[in-house]
Amino acid sequence: MMKSWDDAYQNSELLWGLEPNSTLTQYVNLVPTNGKVLDIGIGEGRNAIYFAQKGFAVEGIDLSETAIERCLALSDKYQLNIEAKVDDITAFDIRPNHYSLIILSNILTFFPEEEIALIIDKVKMGLVKDGLVYVNVFDINEPSRKKAIDMYKRLGRHSFFDSATNMFLHYFTKDELEGFFSTYRTIKTGHSYAMDLTHGEPHYHSTLELLAQKTLNS
Ligand SMILES: C[S@@+](CC[C@H](N)C(=O)[O-])C[C@H]1O[C@@H](n2cnc3c(N)ncnc32)[C@H](O)[C@@H]1O
């Protein structure tokens, strides 16, 4: 796992901006109102703030202390009540059958394949029936994959480990991402190749996203 997430936050005033993911705002009315929202890798809280402002009880975890401090400061500033704490998703127990929406925005890419499967299993258990899961990941066309092939240890066809930063990188295929949620109703899938202006020099990312609904009890 990357040890420099906190450095990245300390080197920037607001690393990811305050704009929530547009797919989440587009489908907010599909989120059942009988459960909470859980944002895994909540960062500075751009998505959490949006759902708290919509009246949802929102919880979030993140490895970075700086990110959590900033998220809580923003929650206070906007007079919201976001429960955000420092924690590691690989050790965090997700309460079963408890959440109306679980957000995995730009986080699953940073784990080895076996951890990804375990996290997704916990997420699926955590959702109430009709609850939604939102996932946004790098795909195999992501520009940084070329660097990963040249410089990092290869763990699998699309999986790498950078020992300098202690960071895992997994680049998803569309079938792989959708396969994890094959028993779910697909609300939206998307692919984007777009310039990222939120931090550092402008650069491109190639991403896949999925919004899916748990229609069965398991
Ligand atoms: C690319 S950022 C995305 C932040 C936020 N989800 C967003 O979309 O704005 C990835 C976040 O995941 C957090 N993270 C990485 N590994 C984690 C782990 N094992 N447990 C919890 N959070 C983690 C990082 O600290 C970072 O804030």
Side-chain angles (χ1 to χ4, degrees), residues 1-2 5-6 9 15-17 21 39-47 61-64 67 87-90 103-107 110-111 119:
M1 203 167 309
M2 188 176 182
W5 281 113
D6 207 67
Y9 284 106
L15 195 53
W16 313 112
N21 292 71
D39 192 340
I40 298 172
I42 190 171
E44 295 142 327
R46 63 195 178 99
N47 290 313
I61 59 162
D62 202 289
L63 269 189
S64 161
D87 214 327
D88 182 337
I89 184 55
T90 61
I103 302 169
L104 287 159
S105 170
N106 304 322
I107 175 164
F110 304 106
F111 295 88
I119 293 168

Side-chain angles (χ1 to χ4, degrees), residues 32-43:
T33 50
N34 60 337
K36 292 180 165 182
V37 172
L38 175 64
D39 192 340
I40 298 172
I42 190 171

